[in-house]
Amino acid sequence: MTAERLDKLIADSGLWTRSEARTLIRAGRAAVDGVTVREPERKFPRESAVSVDGERVNCSKYRYFMLDKPAGCVCANEDRNLPTVLELLPEEYKRLGLFTVGRLDRDTTGLLLLTNDGDFAHRVISPKSEVEKCYAAVIDGETTLEDVERFAAGLTLGDGTRCLPAKLEGLGPGKCLVRVREGKYHQVKRMLAAVGKPVLELRRISIGELKLKEASQPGCLVELDKNDLLAVLTQ
Ligand code: URA
């Protein structure tokens, strides 16, 4: 178990800068395992119960969130013209060094993972992990049994790109679900276009076994726990 300076642990919560953390510790506002600590340089295991003004503070090294991405914003660190998903975060989360796990198109809504854990992000995105992502699409037309079979066999897109076998489930006129285990550029839109069913709206509803709540609205942000992370990686 590695130990960290108390000012670093408190700053890692994202709620205070390192210098604010030093000031509040010296003022006697911080406690570790219930005992007031006034020395910012004193080291404690990250798992210690750190509190400020009596309130428990999350000092975890890595944090994980699920955002219901609204339409109109982009999955990028910066963009000259459009808001980024990171700009939507509350101030305290902006200091956590979060990034998006993969990307959704500007007009796609739904489940987007955010974390500062590069290894976790890599495991989710890596084609080797074969994590299934499910999308609900509003389409122009109605999917057929032949479309379902073409998805299952592995579609070839207009430009010759070969897709892995995917699951297509028709939900009546204008609606379907698509489950894919890879993440090519505009993949779902291109797959549905290849069978003559252009996408009008696209929403990601699950990654692995982690699902958006039924009542989730674009903009909702939920911090994830260990069970949620296991659900993401469950096949
Ligand atoms: N497939 C798409 O076409 N767009 C997305 O945003 C995600 C998957």
Side-chain angles (χ1 to χ4, degrees), residues 103-105 108 135 184-190 202:
R103 287 168 185 236
L104 291 176
D105 297 337
T108 301
Y135 296 84
K184 297 189 196 310
Y185 182 63
H186 292 333
Q187 176 149 5
V188 174
K189 290 176 187 163
R190 291 197 293 156
L202 193 62

Side-chain angles (χ1 to χ4, degrees), residues 67-71 73 88 108-110 203 212 215-221:
L67 173 71
D68 188 338
K69 178 192 171 293
C73 58
L88 299 178
T108 301
T109 64
R203 181 163 172 77
L212 274 184
S216 178
Q217 292 291 325
C220 281
L221 181 71

Side-chain angles (χ1 to χ4, degrees), residues 8-214:
K8 166 140 178 63
L9 287 177
I10 289 179
D12 281 350
S13 72
L15 295 167
W16 297 274
T17 63
R18 191 84 178 249
S19 85
E20 287 167 347
R22 279 196 287 271
T23 305
L24 70 84
I25 295 166
R26 290 198 183 105
R29 293 170 55 198
V32 179
D33 297 328
V35 179
T36 301
V37 176
R38 292 172 184 270
E39 301 82 28
E41 65 283 358
R42 260 184 74 187
K43 292 189 171 179
F44 297 92
R46 197 174 276 282
E47 297 69 26
S48 311
V50 175
S51 55
V52 173
D53 299 332
E55 297 263 343
R56 185 75 190 264
V57 172
N58 186 343
C59 303
S60 306
K61 184 166 180 189
Y62 298 123
R63 306 278 291 269
Y64 310 85
F65 297 86
M66 143 166 113
L67 173 71
D68 188 338
K69 178 192 171 293
C73 58
V74 291
C75 296
N77 289 337
E78 276 176 52
D79 193 278
R80 277 205 201 152
N81 306 310
L82 294 163
T84 70
V85 289
L86 299 174
E87 286 163 14
L88 299 178
L89 299 176
E91 280 310 310
E92 71 260 32
Y93 296 149
K94 287 188 179 159
R95 296 206 196 105
L96 294 175
L98 299 174
F99 48 85
T100 68
V101 178
R103 287 168 185 236
L104 291 176
D105 297 337
R106 170 177 152 188
D107 56 354
T108 301
T109 64
L111 206 172
L112 182 68
L113 297 173
L114 299 164
T115 185
N116 49 4
D117 180 348
D119 287 343
F120 173 76
H122 179 73
R123 283 181 70 192
V124 177
I125 299 170
S126 164
K128 279 193 204 139
S129 305
E130 298 198 351
V131 173
E132 186 175 88
K133 285 144 283 198
C134 181
Y135 296 84
V138 176
I139 51 175
D140 186 2
E142 182 170 2
T143 56
T144 63
L145 195 56
E146 189 198 336
D147 299 337
V148 172
E149 287 166 359
R150 286 183 65 194
F151 271 56
L155 260 184
T156 302
L157 303 178
D159 64 356
T161 305
R162 297 232 359 125
C163 297
L164 291 175
K167 294 175 198 153
L168 172 63
E169 187 183 334
L171 300 175
K175 283 190 184 169
C176 66
L177 293 178
V178 177
R179 294 185 175 82
V180 291
R181 292 185 181 273
E182 54 185 345
K184 297 189 196 310
Y185 182 63
H186 292 333
Q187 176 149 5
V188 174
K189 290 176 187 163
R190 291 197 293 156
M191 288 173 89
L192 284 164
V195 295
K197 314 287 152 46
V199 169
L200 306 176
E201 282 173 38
L202 193 62
R203 181 163 172 77
R204 182 155 66 190
I205 55 176
S206 65
I207 300 180
E209 291 291 317
L210 181 72
K211 297 181 178 59
L212 274 184
K213 303 276 168 290
E214 288 242 337

